[in-house]
């Protein structure tokens, strides 16, 4: 009877271990397809025409390997106006249409990556309300970031920029849509 109890205990421990490994493997597979939603805030750089920004992020990520993710990213960032040398600059919004690239060296910890694509600019058609200079419609968009991740969250420092060339420049003011900021996204698993 004693040997039967020992065999039953060993079988129970092995079964629990296998079930735990299987549920962990299923959890990892369920995070292969992820919806990321989050918020970010930053300070415009350089800040000739804009002062600060706040935004919402939404992205889809597919983990090609446990360390490398690809996907698509969008959202909305509102840049707040800043008056400069008599110019009454207008606020502007950015809606990106971008590819997402992420590198996760470990399951939890440091990560880095970037969103790369096109940034559509929204808002008033003019750069400043007291100047007749048309605001650009958009430009090349990049958003590199470095941060900390775990299964549910990503916390990061970012640089966001829409390259518009010299479009929108007024006299000695260069038109700029870019910021350095911080943000966080929540990861929602989309199945197995």
């Amino acid at each position: 009877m004693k040997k039967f109890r020992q065999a039953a205990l060993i079988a129970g421990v092995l079964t629990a271990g296998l079930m735990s490994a299987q549920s962990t493997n299923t959890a990892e597979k369920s995070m292969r397809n992820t919806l990321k939603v989050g918020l970010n805030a930053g300070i415009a750089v350089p800040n000739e025409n804009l002062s600060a920004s706040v935004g919402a992020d939404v992205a889809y990520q597919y983990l090609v390997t446990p360390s490398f993710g690809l996907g698509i990213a969008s959202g909305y960032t509102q840049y707040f106006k800043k008056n400069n040398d008599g110019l009454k600059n207008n606020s502007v919004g950015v809606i990106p249409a971008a590819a997402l690239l992420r590198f996760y060296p470990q399951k939890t910890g440091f990560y880095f990556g970037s969103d790369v694509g096109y940034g559509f600019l929204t808002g008033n058609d003019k750069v400043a309300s007291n100047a007749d200079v048309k605001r650009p419609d958009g430009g090349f968009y990049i958003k590199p970031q470095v941060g900390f991740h775990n299964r549910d969250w990503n916390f990061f420092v970012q640089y966001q920029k829409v390259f518009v060339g010299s479009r929108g420049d007024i006299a000695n003011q260069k038109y700029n849509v870019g910021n350095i900021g911080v943000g966080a996204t929540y990861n929602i698993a989309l199945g197995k």
Side-chain angles (χ1 to χ4, degrees), residues 76 78 90-94 120-126 135-136:
Y76 180 79
Q78 176 67 41
N90 291 317
S91 297
V92 65
V94 176
F120 297 93
L121 300 183
T122 65
N124 196 299
D125 288 341
K126 293 183 180 179
R135 173 191 45 80

Side-chain angles (χ1 to χ4, degrees), residues 153-164:
W153 290 95
N154 293 18
F155 301 97
F156 55 87
V157 175
Q158 70 174 21
Y159 173 69
Q160 183 186 67
K161 174 75 173 171
V162 178
F163 292 90
V164 296

Side-chain angles (χ1 to χ4, degrees), residues 1 14-15 25-26 31 41-42 44 58-59 62 64 73 77 95 99 103 106 121 124 147 153 168 181 188 191:
M1 189 67 158
L14 288 175
T15 302
N25 193 23
T26 302
M31 292 306 289
V58 63
Y62 175 76
V64 178
T77 301
I95 300 173
F103 298 97
Q106 298 179 346
L121 300 183
N124 196 299
W153 290 95
I188 302 167

Side-chain angles (χ1 to χ4, degrees), residues 133-149:
V133 175
K134 186 171 172 36
R135 173 191 45 80
D137 293 330
F140 177 71
Y141 172 87
I142 189 165
K143 182 180 170 183
Q145 57 182 249
V146 175
F148 172 84
H149 79 98

Side-chain angles (χ1 to χ4, degrees), residues 40 55 59-60 71 105 138 150 173:
N40 67 73
Y60 165 78
N150 61 30
Q173 174 183 281

